Amino acid sequence: MAEVELAIRGGVVVTAEGMQRADVGVSGGRVVALAESIRDARRIVEADGLWVMPGGVDSHCHIEEPQPGGGANEESFVTASRSAFAGGTTSAVCFVPQWKGGGLLERLADYEARARHAMLDHSFHQIITDPTERVIEEELPQVVAKGIRSLKVFLTYEPLHVSDAEYLRVLAAARKHQCLVTVHCENYDAINWRIRALLAAGLTAPKYHAWARPPVVEREATHRAIALAELLDQPIQIFHVSCAEAAEEIARAQARGVKVWGETCPQYLTLTAAHMDRPGFEGAKFMCSPAPRDAAEHERVWEMIRRGVLDVVSSDHCAFSFEGPHGKRQNGTERFDLVPNGIPGFAARLPLLFSEGVSKGRLTPEQFVRLGCSNPARMMGLWPRKGGIHIGADADIALWDPARERVLSNALMQHAIDYTPYEGMTVKGWPVRVFRRGEEVMREDEVTAAPGSGRFLPRAPYPLIAPRGVLPNGFPAAG
Ligand code: DUC
Ligand code: ZN
Ligand code: ZN
């Protein structure tokens, strides 16, 4: 075998398909050899006792997302990249916003400029909040031509949510342009009705966030999102499923052959509504949507993962510091409904999934790789380049010590945010070295990648998101 640039030797290679003792040879940023022994290498990394796993793919994270009032999320592409590498993730798909009344292209140009500073490889979802004629007919084709193949719609949130008519319009456009549609499923009117009633009763503390959006509002919206996608024969992914009753809607549709997939996040496996009931305003640190449920629900969500109904675990990293003018207190502390939704979770995602999943016996190592690396890559059209360790793949590799125990702290997260909701939790299993396209970017918590070294990942049409060709009465509704 010709000399390789880098050999990772002596580890156990873990992929979605299995585990094997093998050396990994890397040249030109790609995996070029998997063999029992690779001796001829310019650089050798010893991985005895470590698991050699694909770099994580986080297909749902909000990074430096511009805000309608000016400014952007506190997490920049540089700080987010550092945090991602610290937690074993090497690629991410994040969001280009559209604001009601505005277009797509100006926002995209701004976002592209921000992302040029990234160290992690990245692609974009296009959020659609206002599918006007001009947006759909003139701008969307130009967005897709740039290799953006996933559209995101919100069925709740002021001012992001779309009506059913607007959602149908996005579905039809996605079908025409061969995109995936990803959906935030909660019922806007039901939540607002609950919020008004809670406020009128004087129930304003952070814990009432969960009371305003119980599982039924998620189940209803999940059912509706699937039914309308089925009407138009458009593949969709349901984002951040928090509870079994919403997942059951997905399972039923999957059993009918509908192309619908479900994602969940570590917060729905570890955090509970009780966290939002901490004294004072502390509960705001755990406030995200859908709301965290309870320990029994965590086990039901694990069961949905094991059944394959939920097949991606993303972070939904959407970070606001606790203190400061852009943080959780930006609209005061007196009303739960004015607190910005979202929690930081980039670095914690894979360690929590590994620890709660593999170390506690809920998942095999192969399942861990599927949920955190290869399935998100397949779902987003990044496979086979990302998400696996096979000949020709980008050499995005994380060396995990399956026995390393760590207590999660904000410093370990390496993000730009002043807290982590996982403070004090002990995890077993930790990524000790990370390579992105063959370059070592993290070693023992020290991130060494240069800002701007990340690459944009344009996506071509991929078979997973092709319509089935099954329409309720054969009438081609798209257009
Ligand atoms: N929920 C979302 O849907 N997006 C970002 C943050 C959150 O909590
Ligand atoms: Zn969402
Ligand atoms: Zn989100």
Side-chain angles (χ1 to χ4, degrees), residues 195 198-199 202-213 272-289 291-292 322 328-329 332-341:
I195 289 173
L198 287 160
L199 295 179
L203 305 176
T204 59
K207 77 168 185 179
Y208 297 109
H209 175 70
W211 290 36
R213 41 207 332 139
T272 67
H275 283 98
M276 284 182 279
D277 195 15
R278 293 207 172 161
F281 192 58
E282 275 289 300
K285 290 182 175 174
F286 307 90
M287 215 184 245
C288 56
S289 291
F322 191 54
K328 289 280 186 182
R329 300 166 189 268
T333 59
E334 299 307 314
R335 274 179 51 179
F336 71 85
D337 60 311
L338 301 181
V339 178
N341 280 205

Side-chain angles (χ1 to χ4, degrees), residues 40 145 148 184 211 216 235 240 249 347 359 386 398 402-403 405 439 460 471 476:
D40 206 3
I148 295 170
H184 178 124
W211 290 36
V216 62
H240 43 51
E249 296 293 337
S359 302
K386 300 292 186 188
E405 289 198 16
E439 178 192 343
L471 291 154

Side-chain angles (χ1 to χ4, degrees), residues 392-412:
D394 280 357
D396 296 339
I397 294 169
L399 306 186
W400 283 74
D401 180 346
R404 174 86 66 99
E405 289 198 16
R406 298 200 89 170
V407 179
L408 298 185
S409 67
N410 199 44
L412 270 190

